[in-house]
Structures are given as structure tokens and as C-alpha cells.
Amino acid sequence: MNVRRRTGAGARRLIPAAALAAVTALGAGTLTACSDSAAAVNTAKFDVVASFYPMQFLAEQIGGRHVHVTTLTSPGQEPHDLEISPQQIAALEEADAVLYLKNLQPSVDDAVAQSPVRTRIEAGSFTTLEHHGTEVGGHAAAHDTHEDEESAGKDPHIWLDPERYAQVAEGVGRAFEKADPAHAADYRKNTAKLVGKLDALDSAFRQGLARTRTKVFITTHAAFGYLAERYGLTEEAVSGLDPESEPSAARVRDLERTAEADGVSTVFYETLVSDRTARTLAHDTGLRTDVLDPIEGITGESRGRDYFAVQQANLKALRKALGAK
Ligand SMILES: [Zn+2]
């Protein structure tokens, strides 16, 4: 579906009453007949419902053969806009655990809060969150409508920083061990392996970005704040945390000045959202465009088949744009 819904600040998203009624009418017994893949829970394995790709990847890597993972956000769907379906709400109730990231998908936050699911694993609770790009608002501002004052408005894009993602992996590993103690030894082993790979990725970024002509990069979607901070870079977002909002004329002039002063070569855009803004800006400023993937989903368009492959592609794109030596 290409129709994207904008929700202004102050509008609280609720699960439609019709959706809840449909779930009640379905009853648990009919769920196995449902063709929605997200409803295929309640298997003999440890059933985990993951909210979107970075959570799915953690569940699969850590859970290995002991878990059955379903994902609420289909590949290619921009996750921020997900509207959870009645089948998915029903699947949540049947799951052994839900693994999600608060403040990214309001519809998921609401569904999890209202669900009787046994084990709730919230990825953001295992690492530190910060405010990024608050001066321009965007979807983090829209998330201020949630009652959780602590995390409201903070940047949810923690998985793009390998070190934070490793902290989340360790937390998820512990949660799996607790919820499914029969396979604790395997979860521990798988977590250690994943964390090792994330440490290696962190080293690759650190070394690959240590010496560059410039430290500044421009993106359309302000998803790379944690990554930038980790490696001493500066992310200039065209229009804030919202991947689709149009930049003002003043913001474009601002970016033109930044591009010139800091020797910026490239305007980055992402795969799941239109590149129109990036192309317009690049045209106006004489810059190149390239993809920097926020890894919110993996599709045929992605420059790699999993998190690690796409992060390596991101590193390559950054090295080129920043003039790595
Ligand atoms: Zn995002």
C-alpha cells in the first residue's frame, strides 16, 4: 500500500474498536486457519513476534533453531507508519514473547500495552537513548503523544550503532534465557557470537572512518544520529526525523552553505522512501546522491541480504562520500 498516513502531534493512535471486535469474534480456535503469516504463532517452538526487521534479526540470530519468529512489519513497508491488523493483534496474544522497540511504531506500542502477551521485551530498555534532531521535529515529535515521558521524543534508531545494537542483543539474550530456560545455553552461545560480529563491525566502522576528507554527511532521514556520534561524524538531516517531510527553502540554503563549507559531496537517501527530496536538493546544490540504508526492512532493493551486509554497504558509501583515506 502506498498511501501514507500523517499523524500530527497530539493525535493519539488507538487500535480501532472494529479491529478489537474482529479479534474477539475470531476466537483462538480459528487462528490456525488464518493465512496471515503473523498469525502463525503458537508452534512447539518459542514463539516470538518481532515488531520490524532489526528486532526480527536479533530474534533469529539469538533464538536460532529454538524460536519461531514472525514479524509485524512486512519487508518493504516503512515501519513508522505500520497500522497493526486484527490478525496481528490476535497473534500477539498467542505468542510466547514480543520483541519491539518503543517510540518507533505507535501502533505496535499501543497493541503491546493492551496485549496479555507473557513476555514483553523492549529493545530500548537495554541501551541509552538520546534526543537527536529535535529542532526540526519529525516523527519523534509525533511520538511525544505517548504517555511515557522518559523515552518520548528520543531517537529510536539505536540499531544503526553497532555498539548499542550489541547491548540490545545482550539484553534480548538474557530475556530469552529467562523466558525459555530449557534452551538457555544455546541462547547464551548465539548471543556471544552475534555480539562478537557486532564488535567486528564496530571496528570496521572505526577504522574505515578514522581518516576522511570531511566529517559531515547529509541524509534525508535523520536515522543516523547514533552512528554519526559513535564515529565522530556530523549528520545534517534535510528535514529532520521524518523521512518524507519537505525541507523549507531556508533549510535548503542552510544545507547548501554547509555542503560548501564542509566539503560535502553527497546527499544520501534511503531505499524505503522516495528519493525525490534528495534528488531535488542534489540538483540544486550540484551534489551526488547515494543510498545510506537505515535497515528498517530488507527488500530486493537492499544492498545486502541481512543487517551485516547492508551495514558494510553503508560503510562503503560513507567512506566514498566522506573521502576516506
Ligand atoms: Zn526511521
Side-chain angles (χ1 to χ4, degrees), residues 30-50:
T30 58
L31 286 174
T32 48
C34 183
S35 61
D36 187 325
S37 64
V41 296
N42 212 0
T43 68
K45 296 188 176 188
F46 181 52
D47 290 302
V48 180
V49 172

Side-chain angles (χ1 to χ4, degrees), residues 182-200:
H183 302 116
D186 281 352
Y187 295 147
R188 235 188 326 269
K189 196 178 71 195
N190 294 343
T191 302
K193 192 176 161 201
L194 178 59
V195 168
K197 285 177 77 177
L198 287 166
D199 286 349

Side-chain angles (χ1 to χ4, degrees), residues 78-80 104 139 156-157 159 221 223 241 243 270 294 296:
E78 215 285 330
H80 299 284
L104 185 80
H139 60 228
H157 300 90
W159 65 92
H221 179 180
L241 289 163
E270 61 176 294
E296 294 182 348

Side-chain angles (χ1 to χ4, degrees), residues 133-144:
T134 44
E135 73 285 359
V136 278
H139 60 228
H143 299 165
D144 277 339

Side-chain angles (χ1 to χ4, degrees), residues 53-311:
Y53 176 74
M55 301 296 107
Q56 173 197 335
F57 188 66
L58 288 181
E60 287 170 352
Q61 297 292 305
I62 293 166
R65 63 195 169 87
H66 303 303
V67 295
H68 178 260
V69 183
T70 50
T71 310
L72 297 175
T73 312
S74 50
Q77 182 175 17
E78 215 285 330
H80 299 284
D81 290 338
L82 178 77
E83 292 297 336
I84 202 163
S85 75
Q87 287 82 7
Q88 290 176 322
I89 292 168
L92 262 182
E93 298 191 4
E94 295 291 303
D96 296 310
V98 58
L99 172 56
Y100 73 115
L101 175 60
K102 216 167 178 168
N103 275 335
L104 185 80
Q105 300 173 283
S107 157
V108 171
D109 293 354
D110 288 335
V112 171
Q114 292 172 40
S115 168
V117 63
R118 276 177 286 270
T119 300
R120 287 170 206 182
I121 309 171
E122 201 279 294
S125 68
F126 303 123
T127 186
T128 50
L129 298 176
E130 294 170 3
H131 287 274
H132 292 142
T134 44
E135 73 285 359
V136 278
H139 60 228
H143 299 165
D144 277 339
T145 56
H146 277 263
E147 55 271 56
D148 188 344
E149 292 294 324
E150 191 50 45
S151 56
K154 293 193 174 170
D155 181 357
H157 300 90
I158 48 177
W159 65 92
L160 292 165
D161 168 10
E163 213 165 303
R164 277 189 171 80
Y165 200 41
Q167 290 166 354
V168 174
E170 283 174 338
V172 171
R174 287 192 300 271
F176 277 21
E177 284 179 43
K178 199 172 161 213
D180 183 24
H183 302 116
D186 281 352
Y187 295 147
R188 235 188 326 269
K189 196 178 71 195
N190 294 343
T191 302
K193 192 176 161 201
L194 178 59
V195 168
K197 285 177 77 177
L198 287 166
D199 286 349
L201 182 69
D202 175 54
S203 299
F205 267 89
R206 211 170 280 286
Q207 282 160 27
L209 300 171
R211 278 168 296 120
T212 55
R213 184 174 43 74
T214 177
K215 295 289 178 190
V216 182
F217 64 100
I218 297 179
T219 62
T220 50
H221 179 180
F224 303 91
Y226 292 113
L227 185 147
E229 191 185 85
R230 180 71 63 201
Y231 304 112
L233 308 177
T234 301
E235 175 195 59
E236 286 285 348
V238 172
S239 46
L241 289 163
D242 187 321
E244 279 207 332
S245 64
E246 294 284 327
S248 65
R251 182 64 184 145
V252 170
R253 275 195 302 279
D254 204 45
L255 286 165
E256 279 172 7
R257 273 195 295 272
T258 300
E260 207 173 294
D262 294 307
V264 174
S265 65
T266 309
V267 177
F268 286 113
Y269 64 98
E270 61 176 294
T271 39
L272 297 185
V273 174
S274 159
D275 61 355
R276 188 164 45 92
T277 304
R279 291 208 184 283
T280 307
L281 181 71
H283 181 262
D284 293 350
T285 52
L287 301 177
R288 278 201 315 263
T289 60
D290 199 0
V291 169
L292 198 58
D293 194 327
I295 326 182
E296 294 182 348
I298 297 280
T299 69
E301 311 269 291
S302 305
R303 291 178 175 176
R305 282 169 46 222
D306 70 6
Y307 173 86
F308 286 105
V310 179
Q311 279 286 51

